[in-house]
Structures are given as structure tokens and as C-alpha cells.
Amino acid sequence: MASSIKSLDFKKFLSMLPDRQERFEAAPATLPPGSDQARVIARALHPVRQYLRVAAVTERGADCKSFDLVPDPERGTTALAWFGAGKYLTVFETIEGMRVTRAYSISSSPKQALEGKYTLTIKLVEGGLMSRYILDNWTVGTPVEVSAPSGSFEYQPLRDAKKVICLAGGSGITPFLSMAAAIADGDEDFEMTLLYGSRTWDAILFRDELAEIEKKTDKVKVIHVLSEKTSGRMRKGTEKGFITAELIQKYAPTDEPYSVFLCGPQQMYAFVDKELEKLNLERKYIRHEMFGEFHDPASQPDYPSDVPETVQITVTIQDETKTVTGSTGDSVMQILEKNGIAVPARCRSGECGFCHSHLLAGKVYVPKNMEYRRMADHKFDCIHPCCSFPLTNLVLNVPAAR
Ligand SMILES: Cc1cc2nc3c(=O)[nH]c(=O)nc-3n(C[C@H](O)[C@H](O)[C@H](O)COP(=O)(O)OP(=O)(O)OC[C@H]3O[C@@H](n4cnc5c(N)ncnc54)[C@H](O)[C@@H]3O)c2cc1C
Ligand code: FES
């Protein structure tokens, strides 16, 4: 709490108070009789589930597609929950009898949600379960089940600087496309300089869409950073190589603070985080989107030695207890899912707390960059199964999947 208060800008906060006061005064003093406005709004913004169907599919190269999703009134969803640009949806699928969940950022704008459409853009991950399934199976008309929009990767005027350098890699462009469109629509008020890393000019996702947004607003500027040599001359305004501290400095303001937002694959974070250290930015000005599940914990320098290859997990969910066996290379959540036990999940990155469970016996390893637990969680032995890897046999209480 103290650290989140410290990260706020009180000058900005005070400047917003008069506007807040005006809104209070303009609001009706009493609710209309018989209405329960707060509950109606809460349900519309945070539905437990949204039942949608695929309305259109757009190919984006050999291994990536965008899916337009619209409400499916026949299954009870008549309107889409609104969201702040940068949020993700958790997709629920049943693949070979196994309940699978994965997070996908909404690449369309908040305005489009009000018009009845979300777009998800999904890139194939080699050997991946959900991305392969979606790319092979979702066609026009496919029913889709998703969560309410979730996540905290969004612009917060009280915390973030007015100028934001956004660093994207590959499919990490999706939340930034939504933010850029929201700026052009007047729904977000900040200046975005997007350094977007792709392999080649042809591999750039949403190249035309980004160019269109740049034409609509001078608050969005896009610089493509290409890592592979391309034949012919470099296009004007394109950078070569990787996103380095030097490159960020070239485009960052020199006379005022700026925020850095980062979204891309795990390997990009490891590289860019080292570059960001050179810039000595205040911690509150650096924001990372989560990158999803962690694989291969044994590659981490602080992973203990002498961990057995397999372990047993005794798990109780809603008065039912089962004992299953799994590999210590898998997270507790993956082991349970592989054994047909569905665990509540949203981000699968340790951040949302949705899978919060009680560890009654045994030890787990949590990679450093996925350790979002609070002090009380450590004190009372609570873990997030999505990013906890068993080191010994475990006994655990898990909430029922929602
Ligand atoms: C907030 C958020 C937003 C996201 N937004 C997007 C988006 O807009 N678009 C998008 O395409 N993706 C997005 N992702 C990533 C997405 O959630 C999935 O992680 C991605 O689609 C891969 O899922 P999968 O089931 O296909 O792969 P998985 O089955 O989870 O496998 C992932 C990779 O790990 C490897 N692997 C699996 N098991 C092991 C193991 N034991 N050891 C070593 N390696 C292993 C697989 O071979 C594969 O290469 C987002 C993630 C988060 C957290
Ligand atoms: S699913 Fe979000 S913390 Fe585990």
C-alpha cells in the first residue's frame, strides 16, 4: 500500500479534484427507485464469463491470425464488458479433455468494445498447446468463452508520465495497438512513442494499421526496429538492430520525465531490462506486461540442486482430495491440469492472484520475476500454483475453478 501511494503523483491528483467535484455535483442525489445501479454497473464491467463467437478471421502472415469476437446472445452475453486499453482476456478452451486457459491482450480499441467487438491477435508458439489449437480450430461462428477484461498494463495518469516510450516485440504489439487507437479516439490522453522490434519489414504485425493511426493523431509516433538485415535500402525512419538504451534515449524527451512500457517475449525482457538499468529511471516510470507461463525453472541460477524429477501432489478442491504425480519441470498448475484438475486461472504469470492456494506441506520454487505474493501470503503459506514449481511432494488446498 505504502509503495503504491509513493508511486502516485500528488500534484496531478490534486489537479483532478475540481473535475471530480463537478461530477459529484452533477450526479442525481438519489438512485432511481428499484434500481441497484452499482451492482448493474459492476456486473456489466466484470462479468464472470463472456460468451462470444468468432465473427471474422484475418490472416497475419503464416503463423498469426486476428479474431474478431462478438457477443453470443443465445448463450447469455448481449453486450461486451468495456475495458481500459492494455487489458487482456483469459480464453477458456477444452483441448483433448483438458481445461486450458491462456491470456490474450485485446488488440482492438475500447471504442470498438462499445460497438460490440473485441479483437484478439494470436501468434503460434512452436510446441504450444492453446495457440496451435486456436489457429487450427477457430473459424467464423466458433463459440468462444472468455473472462472479463483483466490486468494492470494500462496508462494511469496519476502514476505515469505524460510522455510514454512503448517498447514492443513481435506479438507484444497487441496492447499497444489498442492504446494507440484509444489515443486517436480521444479515450486516452498521453503521447506515445512506440519502438517496435520485428525481425524484418515484412514480419511487422499491424504495419498499415499503425501507419493509419499515426495519420490520425500527432500523439502517436511509431519507429520500427528491425533485427535482421534486409536487402535493399533501409526505409526512412526505420532503425536497425535491437532496442538499446541508446535508441531509447534517441527518442525519449530530454527535458521532462517519461514512462517506459514494455511488452514482448521473455527473451526481450531479459535484454531490454539490462538496457533500462543504464537509464536510471525511477522505478514507477517502468511498466512491464506479464509474459505468461514460465518454463524450465532449472535454468535459473537460484534453482536448488538435488530436486527429484517427479513429485506427488495431494490436492483438495471443494471437499474432494486426489493425489497426482507430475514433473518438477512443470508448474503446480500445469501438473494439476495435466491430471484433469481445473484450477482457477487468469494471467498464469503470478500477478492476478486468481489461483491463490494454501500450501499445507512441502516446498516450491518461484522464479524471482514472478514473485508477486504479499508478506501475508508468505507468512500463511499461500502460493500461486501458476508460477510455483514443486521441489518436494506437496499437500495443497486449491479453490474451485470459476
Ligand atoms: C497478459 C498476457 C497477454 C498476452 N497476449 C498475447 C497476445 O496478444 N497474443 C499472443 O499470441 N500471445 C499472448 N500472450 C501469450 C499467451 O498467453 C500464451 O502464453 C501463448 O499463446 C502460448 O500458449 P500455448 O498454449 O500455445 O503454449 P504453451 O503450451 O503454454 O507452451 C509455451 C511454450 O513453452 C514450451 N514449453 C511447454 N512446456 C515446456 C516445458 N516443460 N519446458 C520447456 N518449454 C516448454 C512450448 O514448447 C512452447 O514453446 C499473452 C500472455 C499474457 C500473460
Ligand atoms: S493465474 Fe494469475 S496469479 Fe495465478
Side-chain angles (χ1 to χ4, degrees):
M1 183 68 180
S3 66
S4 62
I5 288 177
K6 248 194 259 164
S7 72
L8 297 180
D9 183 334
F10 274 94
K11 255 199 218 154
K12 274 194 217 166
F13 177 65
L14 292 176
S15 72
M16 289 175 181
L17 287 182
D19 177 47
R20 191 165 175 261
Q21 188 62 30
E22 260 175 45
R23 288 178 194 220
F24 270 133
E25 280 162 14
T30 52
L31 291 176
S35 76
D36 185 350
Q37 212 78 341
R39 220 171 276 177
V40 171
I41 293 171
R43 237 180 268 132
L45 285 174
H46 310 288
V48 177
R49 280 283 189 285
Q50 301 191 85
Y51 297 97
L52 316 177
R53 63 183 168 77
V54 177
V57 181
T58 310
E59 303 265 350
R60 301 199 179 276
D63 58 358
C64 183
K65 290 179 188 172
S66 289
F67 300 91
D68 290 351
L69 305 174
V70 297
D72 188 350
E74 281 179 18
R75 291 187 301 143
T77 299
T78 50
L80 301 180
W82 189 78
F83 67 98
K87 298 256 184 211
Y88 67 84
L89 300 174
T90 300
V91 172
F92 302 85
E93 274 293 352
T94 302
I95 307 174
E96 292 166 19
M98 186 166 77
R99 186 75 168 151
V100 183
T101 54
R102 296 285 185 273
Y104 292 100
S105 300
I106 307 172
S107 57
S108 48
S109 67
K111 187 174 163 216
Q112 286 173 309
L114 293 181
E115 292 161 1
K117 183 181 90 173
Y118 293 137
T119 305
L120 298 183
T121 300
I122 295 167
K123 193 166 167 47
L124 180 71
V125 169
E126 219 39 71
L129 185 62
M130 182 72 111
S131 55
R132 172 89 276 163
Y133 180 87
I134 292 178
L135 292 179
D136 286 351
N137 292 281
W138 283 13
T139 55
V140 172
T142 302
V144 172
E145 195 181 330
V146 300
S147 66
S150 317
S152 55
F153 190 63
E154 58 192 336
Y155 183 75
Q156 294 276 359
L158 282 179
R159 179 200 55 211
D160 304 318
K162 191 87 181 165
K163 293 193 174 165
V164 182
I165 304 287
C166 297
L167 310 178
S171 63
I173 188 62
T174 47
F176 294 131
L177 182 68
S178 181
M179 288 182 201
I183 293 172
D185 291 338
D187 287 333
E188 290 287 356
D189 185 19
F190 64 96
E191 288 175 42
M192 170 191 270
T193 302
L194 174 66
L195 300 181
Y196 181 17
S198 305
R199 277 187 307 103
T200 61
W201 182 254
D202 291 330
I204 297 172
L205 285 175
F206 298 114
R207 201 178 58 210
D208 295 343
E209 289 80 353
L210 289 166
E212 277 305 309
I213 292 172
E214 276 187 293
K215 279 187 211 151
K216 281 193 207 156
T217 173
D218 56 7
K219 287 185 174 174
V220 175
K221 185 171 169 45
V222 182
I223 296 102
H224 292 293
V225 185
L226 305 181
S227 60
E228 280 183 16
K229 282 197 184 120
T230 32
S231 51
R233 278 190 310 140
M234 285 294 283
R235 281 160 212 263
K236 202 169 160 245
T238 305
E239 296 282 353
K240 269 190 285 191
F242 295 98
I243 296 172
T244 58
E246 207 184 356
L247 194 67
I248 295 168
Q249 267 174 325
K250 179 172 168 184
Y251 291 99
T254 50
D255 52 348
E256 60 182 298
Y258 61 94
S259 289
V260 174
F261 286 13
L262 176 59
C263 184
Q266 269 180 51
Q267 310 84 301
M268 177 188 166
Y269 283 24
F271 179 82
V272 174
D273 275 341
K274 286 215 177 77
E275 294 299 305
L276 287 174
E277 276 171 23
K278 299 178 194 166
L279 298 175
N280 287 325
L281 297 175
E282 257 186 78
R283 190 71 202 94
K284 73 167 181 172
Y285 287 134
I286 302 178
R287 307 275 308 142
H288 291 82
E289 179 52 302
M290 300 163 285
F291 45 70
E293 286 192 329
F294 194 91
H295 297 289
D296 197 12
S299 65
Q300 296 303 292
D302 59 341
Y303 188 77
S305 53
D306 300 333
V307 177
E309 268 184 31
T310 59
V311 288
Q312 285 196 331
I313 303 182
T314 301
V315 59
T316 303
I317 301 184
Q318 276 191 326
D319 303 332
E320 199 185 330
T321 301
K322 278 187 185 170
T323 298
V324 299
T325 302
S327 153
T328 44
D330 282 344
S331 70
V332 173
M333 184 175 277
Q334 287 166 344
I335 294 173
L336 297 179
E337 286 175 344
K338 284 181 181 177
N339 283 280
I341 300 171
V343 180
R346 288 284 182 273
C347 69
R348 300 182 79 96
S349 310
E351 197 207 33
C352 74
F354 214 74
C355 61
H356 196 259
S357 300
H358 193 190
L359 182 63
L360 302 170
K363 279 194 176 150
V364 295
Y365 169 77
V366 179
K368 260 197 204 125
N369 53 1
M370 304 192 101
E371 182 55 277
Y372 291 94
R373 283 177 299 167
R374 296 162 189 209
M375 273 163 68
D377 292 330
H378 289 275
K379 191 168 169 191
F380 296 107
D381 297 318
C382 292
I383 62 164
H384 294 160
C386 64
C387 61
S388 300
F389 293 84
L391 297 174
T392 61
N393 290 342
L394 305 178
V395 182
L396 171 83
N397 278 347
V398 174
R402 280 167 280 160

